[in-house]
Amino acid sequence: MQEKRIAVFCGSKSGSDPLFEQDAKALGRLMAERNITLVYGGGNKGLMGAVANSVMEGGGKVIGVIPELLLAWEHQHESITELHVVSDMHTRKKMMYDLCDMAVVLPGGNGTLDELFEMLTWNTLQIHNKKIILLNTAGFYDTLVTHLQAMWQKGFLYENWQERLLVYDTPAAAISAFY
């Protein structure tokens, strides 16, 4: 049986709502329980650190991919299963996409949105066809969902965005989309 892997894109900060970190940890626990390998950005801060530590605490496997530029910024994780240090952000994203079967996007900042939209674009262009899940913890992505709907309604998308991006409110629902 082939190893199952989920890429998780999220903030290197924890955000202002404690639910963000609680959901990151819950997602990590669920992944470890189901023997799903985490592929993530390789940091040990914020939501990235929370999800990775939760997977590791549950006896799961974690693969980090971090660009040289962010080694100090995101405090590379020293206690994960495998860490790839790559030359730049583009290489990081491509490797993460290549290593995963599905992606889950948790709350985050500009980098998280960059990763989300690149995956959506690659799906639209049929570079890959992997499920992308938006974990909408505490309504964090409500305004983004509204904007995506406006882009669709105003004729700027080639297909209904809901065919490419699934939105869930809980880690359990996000994981269930994998099966």
Side-chain angles (χ1 to χ4, degrees):
M1 187 166 109
Q2 186 177 353
E3 176 182 14
K4 295 177 181 173
R5 296 177 174 180
I6 293 178
V8 173
F9 298 101
C10 58
S12 60
K13 295 180 74 172
S14 295
S16 60
D17 190 329
L19 287 174
F20 300 148
E21 189 169 328
Q22 288 174 23
D23 273 4
K25 290 177 178 178
L27 182 68
R29 281 191 301 275
L30 290 167
M31 290 176 68
E33 288 169 10
R34 289 165 174 79
N35 295 313
I36 299 170
T37 297
L38 168 65
V39 177
Y40 86 118
N44 195 15
K45 289 176 42 179
L47 299 185
M48 282 202 294
V51 70
N53 289 332
S54 185
V55 171
M56 293 300 293
E57 288 164 9
K61 183 177 176 184
V62 176
I63 300 170
V65 183
I66 192 166
E68 294 169 359
L69 166 76
L70 295 181
L71 285 174
W73 187 281
E74 293 179 350
H75 301 281
Q76 77 189 48
H77 205 304
E78 303 286 349
S79 303
I80 57 176
T81 312
E82 194 175 313
L83 180 68
H84 299 271
V85 178
V86 297
S87 59
D88 54 50
M89 293 294 286
H90 296 292
T91 304
R92 174 200 221 179
K93 290 184 287 187
K94 174 104 173 59
M95 181 178 278
M96 289 177 69
Y97 302 157
D98 289 344
L99 289 173
C100 77
D101 301 304
M102 180 178 101
V104 177
V105 181
L106 279 63
N110 293 331
T112 304
L113 291 177
D114 172 57
E115 293 155 343
L116 165 64
F117 281 107
E118 187 158 327
M119 287 230 19
L120 279 172
T121 301
W122 286 11
N123 260 1
T124 300
L125 297 174
Q126 298 179 349
I127 294 171
H128 68 72
N129 190 27
K130 298 175 182 183
K131 283 185 186 178
I132 306 168
I133 307 298
L134 197 62
L135 183 54
N136 192 23
T137 299
F140 181 80
Y141 284 116
D142 285 351
T143 53
L144 179 62
V145 168
T146 299
H147 187 72
L148 288 165
Q149 192 59 29
M151 289 167 47
W152 170 242
Q153 290 170 345
K154 305 285 183 189
F156 284 101
L157 301 179
Y158 286 95
E159 61 192 9
N160 186 339
W161 66 273
Q162 292 170 315
E163 294 173 17
R164 297 280 178 200
L165 181 63
L166 305 172
V167 181
Y168 295 104
D169 294 330
T170 67
I175 287 290
S176 71
F178 192 57
Y179 298 98

